[in-house]
């Protein structure tokens, strides 16, 4: 076989792998692209399958309670006052509120024995500038320094005038009186919650049954 033909065959044989490799490049690219697309698709579905955090529901809006109409007390203000008469005041008002509602004291007048800090009682009469005896006859005002309260008839407001007795403790005394059919002795005050030995000794001289 001529050397030239042998060289030609050798050249063809040596070029076959390269040609085969060159022919496979487009297919390889396609395979890589398909693989990349498959990986991207799988990643997308994995991401979609993850549980999505749900936003927290906003806290319920609590509507403000509609205040109920304020209870009222009716009192009569008389005596040395600018505008004597009957007045309707919010429950829990004090004697000083009634005096103010009636225009205040007349020029040169004094409150006399009135306890301006006392809570008003519905239906009472407040006599401004009256002597102590007249004031006592015209209204349920009591002087805690000299008056002995009857535990079975005193109002909760009057009980608050006792030493160391506030609104809560006065209500407890009234509740004890109701649930036990009245006090039979002053010693029963010891059974009222909130009255210890020391407070009992302070109250004892101020009350009776």
């Amino acid at each position: 076989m001529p050397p030239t033909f042998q060289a030609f065959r050798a050249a063809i044989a040596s070029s076959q792998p390269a040609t085969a490799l060159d022919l496979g490049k487009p297919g390889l690219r396609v395979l890589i692209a398909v693989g990349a697309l498959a990986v991207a698709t799988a990643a997308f579905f994995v991401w979609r399958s993850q549980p999505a955090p749900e936003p927290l529901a906003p806290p319920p809006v609590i509507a403000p309670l509609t205040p109920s109409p304020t209870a009222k007390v009716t009192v009569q203000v008389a005596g040395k006052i600018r505008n004597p008469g009957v007045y309707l005041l919010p429950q829990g008002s004090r004697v000083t509120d009634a005096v103010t509602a009636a225009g205040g004291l007349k020029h040169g007048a004094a409150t006399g024995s009135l306890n301006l800090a006392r809570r008003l009682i519905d239906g009472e009469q407040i006599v401004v500038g009256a002597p102590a005896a007249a004031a006592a006859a015209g209204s349920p005002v009591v002087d805690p320094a000299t008056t002995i309260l009857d535990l079975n008839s005193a109002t909760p407001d009057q009980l608050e005038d006792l030493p160391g007795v506030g609104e809560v403790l006065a209500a407890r005394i009234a509740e004890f009186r109701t649930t036990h059919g009245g006090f039979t002795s002053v010693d029963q005050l010891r059974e009222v919650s909130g009255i210890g030995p020391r407070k009992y000794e302070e109250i004892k001289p101020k009350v009776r049954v």
Side-chain angles (χ1 to χ4, degrees), residues 59-116:
V61 178
I62 301 176
L65 296 176
T66 303
S68 57
T70 305
K72 303 286 186 178
V73 292
T74 303
V75 296
Q76 180 185 6
V77 186
K80 298 179 180 180
I81 200 76
R82 293 182 184 275
N83 301 307
V86 177
Y87 292 89
L88 188 65
L89 300 173
Q91 188 173 21
S93 298
R94 310 282 178 163
V95 172
T96 184
D97 298 321
V99 172
T100 301
L105 303 176
K106 288 184 177 180
H107 181 68
T111 57
S113 60
L114 283 179
N115 177 6
L116 295 177

Side-chain angles (χ1 to χ4, degrees), residues 1 14 22 25 27 59 68 81 105 109 111 126 128 134 141 144 154 161-162 164-165 179 196 200 209:
M1 185 179 293
S14 61
D22 292 341
K25 284 183 179 179
S68 57
I81 200 76
L105 303 176
T111 57
I126 300 171
V128 180
V141 177
D161 290 330
L162 294 172
V165 177
T179 56
Y200 170 74
V209 293

